[in-house]
Amino acid sequence: MKAFLMYRDRDFDLQQKLPSNEQALIQDLELNTLFGAMASDDKFLFEVAEKAVLSSLNDLNTIQYRQNILKDCIKNSSVVRNIYEIAVQAIKSEKKVYFGFFSKYPGAILSRSIEVLQIFVDMLKKLKKVSDEHADKFESEGFTTFFAVLNKELDDEYFDRVQNHLRELKFHDGVLISAELEKGNKGTNYILRKPHDKKQSWVDRIFAKKPPVYSFTISDRDESGNKALSELRDRGINLVANSLAQSNDHILSFFNMLRAELAFYVGCLNLHSRLAQIEEPISFPLPAILGELRHSFKGLYDLCLALSIRRKIVGNNVNADDKSLVIITGANQGGKSTFLRSIGLAQLMMQCGMFVPAESFCANVCSGLFTHYKREEDTAMNSGKLDEELSRMSDIADNITSNSVLLFNESFAATNEREGSEIARQIICALSEKKIKIFFVTHSYEFAHGFYDKKMKNVISLRAERQTDGKRTFKIIEDKPLQTSYGEDIYNKIFGADTKGASKSVSANCGQNKIDRENESVL
């Protein structure tokens, strides 16, 4: 049997290789916060969440297949959690059945296999009961197929047949074995035979014609004889013991895969519950085909920030359809980096079949998601910040492919504005030629205004909104870039309004953009 709850036609591979930039994604998008919320202190759930989220899907059918299963899970969360617990209990119970010191002997293998199979049969009966009672509540293709397989494979006749075999394999009436003699009167071709038909009456068994046999009895004190007899018994039941052990392995692999695949959905249910507690909206995204350049959403928010502060946060509405370059500028601490993180999180969640943190969301799938965020100074002084940024950009260039998405967060700001703007411009132009969608958060007016002035149809300019009194709304609006990032607001907030004149003097001497960067690094 197969669960097929992650793919229509194959198992979910927990050993699959993650993308080369997994650590950068985890760090820049704060994915451990997401995985932690899904895991709810369960290491296995954490592992599955990490594998599923970082192993993005490009196939729209598979994404929608998972979405429909997840919708069923949300509607029937208690049933899904019950199935998951049955799988977990089956795996744990199997591990508790001790092999002992005689695990290499067929008799010990058979004995353990019978005990384990009895446990599995009980667990399968529980699954069948869940299917009988709740199958009609599920609508997705994945669960409908899953329950149909259970009903077909696990009928009453199957359970009766298994129980009969288990009773016979305990050999309460002894073991019937046939063998042949080879040279030197050594036994060969040991075969376990079916016991006598117990349906015969005792009268028939007494008077029935029997073939001639030779028999002997071994004394209880004859250790050598008993050892020899035990060896003969092991030879006879060897094939049966191995076959039963393989059957157990087959059923165990089913429970392991059922647990792994349901773990993803249980993680989604845990996340759904956390978001419901803080009354944050979720929606199932509408994925578009690779390369279509779709990106529009309403009420998109940073999931990890909401989970960290445990309250509702400001969402954003943007329509960036047909845009391959999105430049985000605006006031310091206005929500630019938070907005950028929400873009990356929603993309990953959509492409693994999850809901997204938004009222509505539509985007094309991408062949890969990459991030290029600013890093702290190299404490070992092996290289400067700009060298380190260019080195990471080189690694990205080696791995990125067409139709990928790349998130830049204040990249190339470690040098002067003119040089940084030119580096960024050339990189952006080269990436655009390769059909790579780019979101770029920057304080560089020269860079942002250069693209805005060209009025390019594939470019949209967004800005973090700031009210006239300096208050940040944390809204990202479509607007032209400004020459200032209002670092003075942060300065006054830290040092007080009475130092306003001093801050202006500093700003005049050093240049507004430089002050913005210095203030931000202090914060």
Side-chain angles (χ1 to χ4, degrees):
M1 291 191 300
K2 297 287 187 178
F4 292 145
L5 293 175
M6 292 289 276
Y7 299 92
R8 280 187 175 88
D9 54 358
R10 60 189 174 96
D11 294 334
F12 177 62
D13 184 9
L14 265 178
Q15 306 303 320
Q16 62 187 302
K17 188 177 180 180
L18 292 177
S20 59
N21 62 327
E22 61 167 308
Q23 291 305 318
L25 289 173
I26 291 172
Q27 178 179 347
D28 295 336
L29 302 180
E30 299 183 10
L31 290 177
N32 281 334
T33 303
L34 170 63
F35 301 151
M38 295 177 69
S40 190
D41 297 326
D42 187 307
K43 291 182 179 180
F44 183 74
L45 291 180
F46 190 101
E47 178 188 356
V48 172
E50 183 179 31
K51 289 286 185 181
V53 172
L54 290 173
S55 303
S56 294
L57 302 169
N58 294 329
D59 178 40
L60 299 189
N61 290 329
T62 305
I63 292 173
Q64 292 166 350
Y65 180 77
R66 290 188 190 178
Q67 284 184 356
N68 292 333
I69 291 176
L70 181 51
K71 290 175 184 177
D72 263 346
C73 291
I74 293 173
K75 288 190 299 183
N76 305 280
S77 60
S78 60
V79 178
V80 173
R81 290 183 186 276
N82 185 23
I83 296 174
Y84 178 74
E85 287 302 320
I86 290 173
V88 172
Q89 186 180 351
I91 296 167
K92 287 183 177 179
S93 298
E94 187 271 341
K95 291 180 179 178
K96 291 180 180 178
V97 181
Y98 186 54
F99 243 131
F101 297 104
F102 306 100
S103 56
K104 64 179 181 180
Y105 295 104
I109 294 174
L110 181 62
S111 178
R112 182 184 186 276
S113 298
I114 292 172
E115 186 176 352
V116 170
L117 186 56
Q118 186 62 64
I119 292 172
F120 285 162
V121 167
D122 293 339
M123 296 298 116
L124 290 173
K125 285 182 178 179
K126 290 182 178 181
L127 275 183
K128 181 62 164 56
K129 183 178 180 182
V130 171
S131 175
D132 293 340
E133 294 177 353
H134 302 287
D136 58 343
K137 300 176 184 177
F138 291 78
E139 301 175 356
S140 64
E141 178 186 346
F143 269 115
T144 300
T145 303
F146 174 71
F147 288 129
V149 170
L150 291 183
N151 288 333
K152 178 182 178 181
E153 300 290 338
L154 305 180
D155 55 13
D156 292 339
E157 181 182 351
Y158 168 80
F159 288 120
D160 290 342
R161 190 165 62 250
V162 171
Q163 291 293 357
N164 288 334
H165 286 320
L166 289 178
R167 280 193 295 269
E168 290 178 355
L169 289 174
K170 291 180 180 179
F171 302 121
H172 293 303
D173 298 326
V175 180
L176 184 61
I177 301 172
S178 68
E180 298 176 0
L181 293 177
E182 59 179 9
K183 291 182 178 180
N185 285 334
K186 287 186 176 181
T188 186
N189 293 334
Y190 290 89
I191 299 175
L192 181 68
R193 297 295 182 179
K194 187 177 180 180
H196 295 295
D197 188 3
K198 294 182 179 180
K199 293 181 179 180
Q200 273 187 318
S201 67
W202 65 271
V203 176
D204 292 336
R205 289 201 298 272
I206 291 175
F207 294 102
K209 186 177 180 181
K210 299 180 179 65
V213 296
Y214 299 95
S215 64
F216 62 92
T217 303
I218 297 176
S219 171
D220 292 339
R221 296 181 179 182
D222 186 354
E223 294 183 3
S224 298
N226 280 294
K227 182 180 179 181
L229 188 61
S230 178
E231 290 176 354
L232 289 174
R233 182 180 185 275
D234 281 345
R235 290 182 184 181
I237 66 175
N238 182 53
L239 292 177
V240 173
N242 289 335
S243 297
L244 197 60
Q246 291 175 13
S247 297
N248 281 342
D249 290 342
H250 175 73
I251 299 175
L252 179 61
S253 67
F254 165 74
F255 280 119
N256 277 322
M257 190 51 58
L258 179 61
R259 179 198 181 196
E261 297 189 352
L262 278 182
F264 169 69
Y265 298 103
V266 171
C268 292
L269 291 177
N270 291 338
L271 179 60
H272 182 271
S273 178
R274 288 280 299 275
L275 293 176
Q277 291 174 7
I278 55 179
E279 299 180 342
E280 282 285 22
I282 60 137
S283 63
F284 282 90
L286 180 62
I289 61 173
L290 196 71
E292 191 173 318
L293 286 183
R294 296 288 301 277
H295 227 115
S296 60
F297 45 82
K298 181 180 180 182
L300 178 67
Y301 61 93
D302 180 359
L303 173 74
C304 294
L305 179 60
L307 291 171
S308 298
I309 65 177
R310 299 181 182 180
R311 60 181 174 85
K312 287 178 68 69
I313 60 175
V314 175
N316 283 289
N317 308 329
V318 170
N319 185 350
D321 288 346
D322 302 319
K323 309 298 181 185
S324 60
L325 175 57
V326 180
I327 298 177
I328 306 108
T329 61
N332 278 309
Q333 295 196 340
K336 301 186 298 298
S337 296
T338 300
F339 172 76
L340 190 67
R341 190 162 53 242
S342 70
I343 294 290
L345 285 168
Q347 189 75 33
L348 285 177
M349 293 173 72
M350 178 186 73
Q351 288 195 223
C352 72
M354 294 178 66
F355 49 74
V356 296
E359 296 173 24
S360 64
F361 186 90
C362 175
N364 61 279
V365 297
C366 64
S367 57
L369 178 67
F370 296 83
T371 58
H372 189 276
Y373 280 42
K374 65 178 181 179
R375 296 281 189 262
E376 296 302 322
E377 192 78 53
D378 181 10
T379 56
M381 297 301 291
N382 293 324
S383 63
K385 288 187 70 173
L386 182 59
D387 288 341
E388 187 274 338
E389 285 189 279
L390 293 175
S391 176
R392 281 191 290 120
M393 189 65 238
S394 178
D395 291 338
I396 291 174
D398 291 339
N399 291 283
I400 200 167
T401 59
S402 297
N403 299 311
S404 292
V405 172
L406 180 51
L407 310 180
F408 287 98
N409 190 13
E410 299 182 32
S411 300
F412 317 116
T415 183
N416 64 72
E417 183 174 353
R418 179 173 297 180
E419 185 180 34
S421 298
E422 181 59 22
I423 293 172
R425 186 192 66 79
Q426 291 188 28
I427 290 175
I428 295 305
C429 291
L431 292 172
S432 297
E433 291 177 2
K434 295 298 182 180
K435 297 182 180 180
I436 294 169
K437 187 189 293 186
I438 300 162
F439 291 81
F440 205 118
V441 169
T442 182
H443 285 300
S444 174
Y445 175 75
E446 184 175 337
F447 167 76
H449 193 264
F451 280 99
Y452 182 80
D453 249 4
K454 294 178 182 178
K455 306 296 182 184
M456 301 168 68
K457 292 183 178 180
N458 67 323
V459 180
I460 183 173
S461 177
L462 304 179
R463 196 175 79 211
E465 188 178 48
R466 171 190 178 272
Q467 297 180 345
T468 55
D469 61 356
K471 182 179 180 181
R472 274 63 167 163
T473 65
F474 305 109
K475 283 285 188 181
I476 304 297
I477 59 175
E478 185 175 352
D479 209 341
K480 65 180 180 181
L482 300 178
Q483 288 186 339
T484 176
S485 297
Y486 296 100
E488 184 179 315
D489 294 339
I490 311 299
Y491 185 93
N492 292 333
K493 183 177 180 180
I494 295 174
F495 298 105
D498 57 337
T499 60
K500 186 175 182 180
S503 68
K504 286 184 177 179
S505 175
V506 173
S507 179
N509 291 331
C510 300
Q512 180 65 50
N513 285 324
K514 185 175 181 181
I515 292 295
D516 292 339
R517 290 195 295 270
E518 289 176 349
N519 284 332
E520 188 172 60
S521 65
V522 169
L523 292 174

